């Protein structure tokens, strides 16, 4: 990458480090933000970003080439003082990424492609929060602002263009999704819980948060049901009353410890007519099962036991892995764009390229003239050479001064402008070809041909 | 002018169908809105076409089976808007429903160039005749919409019952919405079919002097009406729904298909085209 800015990312995640190491580094108990404390170590970074979630801890630095060693030294003393780890003990648990890899990594993290649960959306929010902190602490500058905004953009793009976030990957979410696909919405729907254990309680909270209107609880010991009902404002029943409660319910979650089937096919089929064939979604999370499996054959009755739900989740997970491949292709595309942006931002490569360009033109024109003027002495040739050189230098003095003057916050505009005017981003292949050939052959050879090629193909001097 | 509009209609419907397919694949809201917009533009062109057709009808006093198909496809598009603007959020309905009007239009374009002329034109004397035609066709349009949502219901139901939540599970609307659409289609279809039969009878009395003749088409339409009435009865009183309702819709549509494309041409008699 041709740039003034170098990127460094040091971090560890659930794949590289066990939780004991991760929690040491999480800085979650610290009163001051690590970015604030790292300032005390006078590390010569231009910009810095710190991301800490329960599965990863990452520092990103933007620095100048000459500061590289200083950065590493400063960071290792920061680690030693704050965490009590030397860089060498830290190294096996961590990853050190540079430049292009940093861009790619941040994009992948934002998309949830580096997460434990593939494609999970929370990481994006956490990254946004971390970015906000970096902005507050003024450690984020022109490069990081662009890089992170780009990462958020890529994450959104990946989410809409691939199915990376599609399909439930947790059992409870899979169950809610199924309920919605069967019953439309959970509003005005009655949920019957059979068994008043911890599972039932969790399910209750979940379903109420999705808008279920009424909770009915049936339990072997009525008192327990009553107790749970008082908390969720439901109605309590004993197990003997099960048939009449089933008639009312739209969703049944069963989690008792009963040894046999509580709901049999015979029981349910006798209730179908009384229910007016309304659809009924039964989730059987009890082991051994509470509901006879053949109940699923009945009209408008949909039974899922715990294994069914698990296999749904597994299948969704496989789908996400397939989609992740597509997401990676999008990320690669965006990494290229980001690289291009970074190189546009750089001052020194621009100046270098500009002088190179001028030198090529000078040499070519000189050779052309020398071809025509045949009877020149060595001295005369030399003075011609000096003349052209100083002409070019004088001409370039102003654009280079303009470039350096605009540096660096608004400098991007100046750099862009100069690159546009001199078309420094084009003609690259051709120039390289010439440069190579210059090394191999005498400068006067074939120049006319190249000239032609130059005009025909690029027409830059019209 | 007229044929220009017709071309535009087929073209815009087709484009919007492609949009609906894209929506089905991506579930992107923008694609849906765009294809709905294009579809309504198509419906506008269609309306303009029908306006020209009406003018011609007034002048030449003759219409053919081709025109009936044309009007019918317009009414199907109208039923799409009726359902998609309603409470049920079953937007992917368009992906399955829009091919119907397109294929009817193309059918009328290619196969009924020399379409048989309707036998009744010279007898049109009152408003009851257009009412009879439009409400009968509208009832058929609702029948086909019900058929579409029933097919979608069966696809979705199969995925859930088999516990294999694949491609269709995510793309298709909830079972409940699909069922509601079938149910509404049933009510509306029954209403318009009843009205179609009654208005036809009244008009027949005015034009020919009797209400009912037991011609093939009348008999089959009556049985279609009975199927509708049966469905309605079971739905309201016993609570038939879901799969059973879907199968009833398939039965009804098969019967309708037979009446519309077979009886109309191949069984000679009163009420059929081309004699």
């Amino acid at each position: 990458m041709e740039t003034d800015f170098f990127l460094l990312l040091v971090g560890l995640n659930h794949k590289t480090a066990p939780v004991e190491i991760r929690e040491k580094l999480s800085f979650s108990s610290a009163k001051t933000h690590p970015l604030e404390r790292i300032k005390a170590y006078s590390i010569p970074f231009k910009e810095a970003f710190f991301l800490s979630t329960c599965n990863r801890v990452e520092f990103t630095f933007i620095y100048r080439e000459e500061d590289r060693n200083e950065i590493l030294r400063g960071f290792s003393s920061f680690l030693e003082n704050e965490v009590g780890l030397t860089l060498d003990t830290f190294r096996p648990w961590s990853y050190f990424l540079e430049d292009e890899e940093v861009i790619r990594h941040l994009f992948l993290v934002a998309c949830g492609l580096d997460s434990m649960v593939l494609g999970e959306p929370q990481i994006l929010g956490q990254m946004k929060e971390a970015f906000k902190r970096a902005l507050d602490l003024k450690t984020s500058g022109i490069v990081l602002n662009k890089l992170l905004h780009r990462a958020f953009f890529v994450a959104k793009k990946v989410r809409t263009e691939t199915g990376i976030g599609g399909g439930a990957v947790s059992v409870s979410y899979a169950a809610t999704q199924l309920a919605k696909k069967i019953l439309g919405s959970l509003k005005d729907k009655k949920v019957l819980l059979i068994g008043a254990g911890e599972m039932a309680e969790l399910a209750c909270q979940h379903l109420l948060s999705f808008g279920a209107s009424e909770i009915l609880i049936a339990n072997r010991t009525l008192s327990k049901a009553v107790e749970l009902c008082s908390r969720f404002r439901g109605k309590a029943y004993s197990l003997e009353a099960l048939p009449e409660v089933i008639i009312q319910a739209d969703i049944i979650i069963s989690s008792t410890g009963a040894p046999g089937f509580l709901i049999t096919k015979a029981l349910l089929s006798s209730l179908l007519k009384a229910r007016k064939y309304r659809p009924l979604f039964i989730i059987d999370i009890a082991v051994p099962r509470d509901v006879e499996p053949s109940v699923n054959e009945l009209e408008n009755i949909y039974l899922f036991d715990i294994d069914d739900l698990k296999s749904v989740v597994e299948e969704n997970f496989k789908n996400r892995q397939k989609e992740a491949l597509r997401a990676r292709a999008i990320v690669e595309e965006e990494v290229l764009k980001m690289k291009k942006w970074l190189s546009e931002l750089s001052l020194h490569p621009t100046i270098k390229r500009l002088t190179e360009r001028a030198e090529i033109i000078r040499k070519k024109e000189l050779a052309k003239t020398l071809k025509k003027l045949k009877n020149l002495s060595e001295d005369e040739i030399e003075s011609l050479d000096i003349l052209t050189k100083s002409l070019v230098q004088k001409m370039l003095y102003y654009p280079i001064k303009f470039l350096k003057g605009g540096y660096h916050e608004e400098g991007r505009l100046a750099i862009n402008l100069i690159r546009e005017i001199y078309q420094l981003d084009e003609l690259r292949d051709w120039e390289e070809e010439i440069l190579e050939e210059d090394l191999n052959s005498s400068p006067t050879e074939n120049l006319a041909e190249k000239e032609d090629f130059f005009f025909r193909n690029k027409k830059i001097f019209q | 002018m007229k044929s220009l509009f017709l071309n535009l209609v087929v073209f815009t419907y087709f484009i919007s169908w492609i949009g609906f397919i894209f929506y089905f694949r991506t579930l992107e809201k923008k694609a849906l809105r765009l294809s709905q917009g294009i579809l309504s533009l198509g419906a506008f062109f269609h309306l303009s076409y029908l306006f020209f057709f009406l003018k011609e009808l007034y002048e030449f006093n003759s219409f053919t089976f081709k025109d009936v198909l044309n009007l019918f496809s317009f009414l199907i598009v109208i039923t799409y808007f009726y359902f998609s603007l309603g409470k049920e959020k079953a937007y992917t309905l368009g992906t399955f429903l829009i091919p119907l009007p397109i294929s009817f239009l193309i059918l009328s374009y290619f196969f009924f160039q020399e379409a048989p002329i309707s036998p009744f034109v010279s007898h049109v004397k009152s408003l009851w005749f257009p009412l009879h035609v439009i409400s009968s066709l509208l009832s058929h349009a609702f029948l086909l919409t019900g058929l579409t949502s029933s097919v979608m219901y069966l696809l979705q139901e199969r995925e859930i019952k088999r516990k294999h939540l694949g491609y269709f599970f995510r793309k298709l609307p909830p079972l409940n919405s699909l069922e509601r659409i079938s149910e509404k289609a049933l009510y509306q279809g029954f209403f318009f079919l009843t009205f179609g039969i009654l208005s036809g009878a009244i008009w027949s009395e005015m034009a020919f002097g009797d209400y009912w003749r037991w011609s093939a088409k009348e008999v089959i339409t009556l049985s279609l009406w009975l199927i509708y009435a049966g469905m309605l009865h079971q739905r309201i009183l016993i609570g038939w729904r879901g799969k059973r309702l879907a199968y009833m819709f398939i039965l009804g549509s098969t019967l309708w298909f037979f009446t519309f494309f077979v009886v109309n041409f191949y069984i000679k008699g009163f009420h059929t085209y081309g004699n």
Side-chain angles (χ1 to χ4, degrees), chain A residues 320-380:
Chain A
R320 280 192 181 197
Q321 274 166 337
K322 261 187 228 156
E323 291 299 309
L325 291 179
R326 285 178 56 210
R328 273 171 189 276
I330 294 175
V331 166
E332 280 313 310
E333 208 175 284
E334 295 295 330
V335 167
L336 276 181
K337 281 185 197 163
M338 187 67 208
K339 266 168 70 185
K340 185 165 178 285
W341 185 88
L342 262 180
S343 69
E344 276 169 14
L345 185 65
S346 318
L347 175 67
H348 294 297
T350 308
I351 293 176
K352 196 175 147 218
R353 174 147 295 178
L354 185 62
T355 46
E356 267 171 21
R357 164 69 50 80
E359 181 62 13
I360 288 171
I361 295 169
R362 186 190 73 85
K363 271 191 186 157
K364 243 180 350 183
E365 293 301 312
L366 185 64
K368 231 163 72 180
T369 313
L370 286 179
K371 227 180 183 179
K372 281 177 196 158
L373 306 170
K374 274 167 188 155
N375 306 316
L376 288 181
S377 69
E378 282 289 309
D379 280 355
E380 281 168 325

Side-chain angles (χ1 to χ4, degrees), chain A residues 12 19-30 32-34 37 50-59 83:
Chain A
L12 38 77
V19 67
E20 299 85 49
I21 304 287
R22 294 207 302 273
E23 66 192 2
K24 258 190 195 172
L25 268 155
S26 68
F27 299 99
S28 53
S29 55
T32 47
H33 194 262
R37 281 202 272 163
F50 172 72
L51 176 68
S52 166
T53 71
C54 45
N55 284 327
R56 70 183 63 246
V57 183
E58 283 169 0
F59 286 90
V83 193

Side-chain angles (χ1 to χ4, degrees), chain A residues 12-18 22 54-56 114-117:
Chain A
L12 38 77
N13 64 15
H14 58 280
K15 289 176 206 159
T16 63
R22 294 207 302 273
C54 45
N55 284 327
R56 70 183 63 246
D114 199 46
S115 300
M116 195 139 87
V117 177

Side-chain angles (χ1 to χ4, degrees), chain A residues 367 371 437 441-448 450:
Chain A
K371 227 180 183 179
E437 281 182 28
S441 59
S442 71
T444 49
E445 240 178 46
N446 292 332
L447 253 180
K450 275 171 194 162

Side-chain angles (χ1 to χ4, degrees), chain A residues 181 296 298 301 303 308, chain B residues 161 163 172 175 241 244:
Chain A
K181 279 288 178 187
N296 193 42
L298 291 170
I301 308 284
L303 167 68
D308 296 332
Chain B
K161 275 276 187 198
K163 297 168 185 180
L172 288 174
L175 286 179
R241 54 171 78 224
R244 294 197 197 190

Side-chain angles (χ1 to χ4, degrees), chain A residues 339-439:
Chain A
K339 266 168 70 185
K340 185 165 178 285
W341 185 88
L342 262 180
S343 69
E344 276 169 14
L345 185 65
S346 318
L347 175 67
H348 294 297
T350 308
I351 293 176
K352 196 175 147 218
R353 174 147 295 178
L354 185 62
T355 46
E356 267 171 21
R357 164 69 50 80
E359 181 62 13
I360 288 171
I361 295 169
R362 186 190 73 85
K363 271 191 186 157
K364 243 180 350 183
E365 293 301 312
L366 185 64
K368 231 163 72 180
T369 313
L370 286 179
K371 227 180 183 179
K372 281 177 196 158
L373 306 170
K374 274 167 188 155
N375 306 316
L376 288 181
S377 69
E378 282 289 309
D379 280 355
E380 281 168 325
I381 289 177
E382 205 189 316
S383 58
L384 260 183
D385 196 50
I386 292 168
L387 167 71
T388 50
K389 257 185 195 160
S390 63
L391 257 179
V392 164
Q393 268 170 20
K394 295 246 155 80
M395 291 296 285
L396 285 185
Y397 171 74
Y398 296 102
I400 290 174
K401 191 184 162 202
F402 174 64
L403 272 177
K404 285 185 172 166
Y407 204 64
H408 102 213
E409 292 302 324
E410 302 84 20
R412 185 168 146 72
L413 192 68
I415 291 165
N416 255 343
L417 196 62
I418 294 292
R419 277 179 171 259
E420 289 268 297
I421 291 175
Y422 290 96
Q423 303 206 343
L424 296 183
D425 291 320
E426 293 167 32
L427 288 171
R428 246 173 109 172
D429 304 336
W430 180 81
E431 263 175 49
E432 275 162 11
E433 207 174 285
I434 292 240
L435 281 173
E436 269 174 32
E437 281 182 28
D438 274 356
L439 293 175

